[in-house]
C-alpha cells in the first residue's frame, strides 16, 4: 500500500501537470503573445511552490528514516535550485 505522503506528492504533481497542460491550451486558444506571457508568468509561481511543497511532504514522510543533517541538506539543495533560477 502506498504511504499517504507519496499519495499526496503524486496528486500534487498530477494537479501541477494538469495546470501546465491547461495553460498551454489557453495560450493556444488566445493566440496572443502578451496573454501567453502572462499565463507563463503565473506558471512561474506554481512550479517552485509545487517543488517546495512536494519536497516538504516527502521529507516529512521519511523524517523518521533520515537524520536531521540529511534533511537540512535536502532543503538546502531545494533552496540552491531556487536561488540559481533567480540569478542572472
Amino acid at each position: 500500500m502506498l504511504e499517504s505522503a507519496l499519495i499526496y506528492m503524486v496528486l500534487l504533481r498530477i494537479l501541477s501537470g494538469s495546470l501546465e497542460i491547461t495553460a498551454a491550451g489557453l495560450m493556444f486558444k488566445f493566440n496572443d503573445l502578451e496573454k501567453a506571457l502572462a499565463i507563463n508568468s503565473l506558471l512561474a509561481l506554481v512550479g517552485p511552490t509545487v517543488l517546495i511543497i512536494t519536497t516538504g511532504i516527502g521529507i516529512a514522510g521519511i523524517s523518521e528514516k533520515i537524520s536531521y543533517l540529511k534533511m537540512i541538506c535536502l532543503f538546502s539543495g531545494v533552496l540552491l535550485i531556487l536561488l540559481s533560477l533567480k540569478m542572472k
Side-chain angles (χ1 to χ4, degrees):
M1 181 84 185
L2 294 177
E3 294 182 29
S4 60
L6 179 59
I7 291 171
Y8 288 127
M9 289 175 71
V10 169
L11 290 174
L12 191 55
R13 283 297 176 182
I14 289 171
L15 176 64
S16 174
S18 299
L19 286 172
E20 295 274 347
I21 292 170
T22 302
L26 288 172
M27 288 179 193
F28 184 73
K29 178 184 176 187
F30 292 136
N31 195 25
D32 181 0
L33 185 57
E34 289 180 18
K35 289 181 182 176
L37 284 172
I39 292 168
N40 192 59
S41 296
L42 291 174
L43 286 177
L45 297 172
V46 173
T49 304
V50 171
L51 173 66
I52 291 169
I53 293 171
T54 55
T55 301
I57 291 170
I59 290 174
I62 63 169
S63 63
E64 299 162 354
K65 300 176 187 175
I66 63 172
S67 68
Y68 287 116
L69 181 59
K70 286 184 182 181
M71 278 192 253
I72 291 169
C73 287
L74 285 169
F75 274 119
S76 297
V78 171
L79 181 63
L80 288 173
I81 290 169
L82 294 174
L83 287 174
S84 70
L85 292 174
K86 299 293 180 187
M87 295 176 112
K88 293 186 179 203

